[in-house]
Every structure is written in C-alpha cells, then in structure tokens.
C-alpha cells in the first residue's frame, strides 16, 4: 500500500489544479489582475474597491490628525470604526461618479458626535455640554465648560481626586491628505462639588 511520506513534489499547474512550492494546492481560475481591471462584470467591484481604499486612506488621515486623543482614549476598534464612518461620508458625495467619490467639505458635518471611544462615550462621562466656538477667519477654536461641578457633572472612577479636559482641534484636507492639528488641556481640577471658573475650564487653540 502506498504511503504519503511528505509534501507532494509538484510545482506549477497540472490540469485545473495549481501546486504551490510550499505544498498548498488550489483550483485554477478566479479573477486575474487583467480581468479585474478591464472586465465589465467587475465594474462594481472596482468601484467598491476604489472607495474602500479611499475610506481607509482618509480614515488614517483622520486618526493621525487626532492621534493624541486616540492615544489616550481610543478603543480597540477605532481603526475599523473610522473607516466605516469615512465610507458613509464618501457615499454622501453626489457630485462625483461612483468609484471616484470623495469627502466633500459639507459632508464632514456627519462626523459630529463620532466617539473616539465607543465604550465610554463623552455624553455618558460628562453631563454638561461644552460651549464650542470656531472662528474660521482667525482659526481660533474655543471650548468652555461654564460652571461645571466635577463631582456632579463628571462620571469618574471611584477614588478620583482630580480631572482635566483635553481638546484637539484640526483642519483636515482629506483630498490632499494633509492636516493642521493642535492639542491643549486644562490644569488638573479638583474632583469636588465646587463650580469651576470659566477661565479654568476653557480650552483654546489657534489653527
């Protein structure tokens, strides 16, 4: 009786089977690069691949622009969640044809409310909405937590003695894949029920 004593010593195509030099075997056929790039039947696949690539690229730009926040607060699925969000923004482009769509300025409003950490959302941690001011003429970005009482308005772990707020502002050009980001933070604020003065809870940067 014959016995298999090792990897089959065949490399290349034999009939409709392809033998790899590492010993794996697969059925010949499937899409080739030429077919993918030219076949009419692959048109929608090419369009989807192009837009997925665009979403991945713009998602990376976004994460880099927000890297300081991502580093301290991002969850383990931040990359896939950002890519998914970018695909949603690309789908809103009603100017360019499918496969060539990108992120238009007006579409970035859909990023409002996107959480850096989906497991610990900002609204579930800080119960006072900050006042946000963006002056596109001067580039000044202001975020202020007016009259916030940390013990009452911030959900912090047991044993917390102090908190601070961190803010990143970024001007992103998704088409050219460039950005200008700045990050600032407040001093440590006592975690008690004393209202914090606006001056101590205001974050400001100039882009």
């Amino acid at each position: 009786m014959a016995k298999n004593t090792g990897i089959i010593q065949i490399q290349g195509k034999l009939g409709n089977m392809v033998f790899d030099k590492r010993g794996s075997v697969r059925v010949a056929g499937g899409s080739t690069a030429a077919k993918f790039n030219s076949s009419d039947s692959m048109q929608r696949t090419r369009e989807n691949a192009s837009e997925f690539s665009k979403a991945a690229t713009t998602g990376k730009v976004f994460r880099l622009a927000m890297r300081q926040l991502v580093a301290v607060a991002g969850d383990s699925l931040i990359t896939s969640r950002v890519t998914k969000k970018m695909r949603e923004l690309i789908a809103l482009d009603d100017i360019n044809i499918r496969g060539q769509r990108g992120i238009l300025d007006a579409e970035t409003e859909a990023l409002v409310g996107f959480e850096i950490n989906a497991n610990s959302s900002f609204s579930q941690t800080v119960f006072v909405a900050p006042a946000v001011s963006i002056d596109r003429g001067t580039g000044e970005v202001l975020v202020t937590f007016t009259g916030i009482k940390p013990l009452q308005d911030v959900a912090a772990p047991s044993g917390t003695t102090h908190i601070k707020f961190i803010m990143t502002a970024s001007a992103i050009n998704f088409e050219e894949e460039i950005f200008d980001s700045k990050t600032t933070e407040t001093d440590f604020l006592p975690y008690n029920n004393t209202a914090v003065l606006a001056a101590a809870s205001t974050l400001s940067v100039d882009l």
Side-chain angles (χ1 to χ4, degrees), residues 6-193:
I7 298 174
I8 300 174
Q9 298 299 308
I10 300 176
Q11 183 177 339
K13 186 177 180 181
L14 184 61
N16 69 335
M17 306 299 291
V18 177
F19 294 82
D20 186 88
K21 63 181 179 181
R22 295 167 297 181
S24 63
V25 183
R26 63 180 174 82
V27 178
S31 297
T32 64
K35 179 181 178 182
F36 179 82
N37 291 325
S38 61
S39 173
D40 290 341
S41 65
M42 301 293 288
Q43 176 65 24
R44 182 51 59 90
T45 302
R46 289 195 298 272
E47 293 171 354
N48 290 338
S50 174
E51 294 194 352
F52 181 84
S53 176
K54 186 72 173 181
T57 300
T58 53
K60 181 179 180 180
V61 173
F62 178 81
R63 295 196 318 275
L64 288 173
M66 298 292 166
R67 62 187 179 278
Q68 289 183 274
L69 290 184
V70 170
V72 299
D75 59 39
S76 60
L77 297 177
I78 184 68
T79 298
S80 60
R81 289 196 304 108
V82 170
T83 300
K84 179 181 178 181
K85 193 65 178 180
M86 293 303 164
R87 293 193 73 179
E88 293 176 7
L89 267 63
I90 289 171
L92 296 175
D93 181 356
D94 57 2
I95 296 177
N96 298 298
I97 63 174
R98 188 183 179 91
Q100 297 179 20
R101 295 181 297 186
I103 297 178
L104 305 179
D105 289 346
E107 296 164 1
T108 56
E109 293 182 2
L111 285 169
V112 173
F114 180 81
E115 298 285 355
I116 295 295
N117 191 318
N119 302 316
S120 182
S121 68
F122 187 82
S123 61
Q124 293 176 339
T125 304
V126 181
F127 306 123
V128 174
V132 179
S133 171
I134 302 175
D135 188 323
R136 296 188 180 277
T138 64
E140 182 182 53
V141 181
L142 286 174
V143 174
T144 304
F145 295 88
T146 303
I148 190 169
K149 296 180 179 180
L151 189 61
Q152 172 182 302
D153 299 324
V154 179
S158 177
T160 296
T161 61
H162 292 76
I163 64 170
K164 66 178 176 179
F165 294 102
I166 304 173
M167 181 263 285
T168 290
S170 184
I172 305 175
N173 185 321
F174 287 108
E175 203 61 38
E176 296 185 15
E177 300 176 17
I178 57 176
F179 57 85
D180 174 27
S181 298
K182 291 184 180 177
T183 299
T184 187
E185 58 188 51
T186 65
D187 292 331
F188 278 106
L189 308 171
Y191 189 60
N192 55 32
N193 224 17

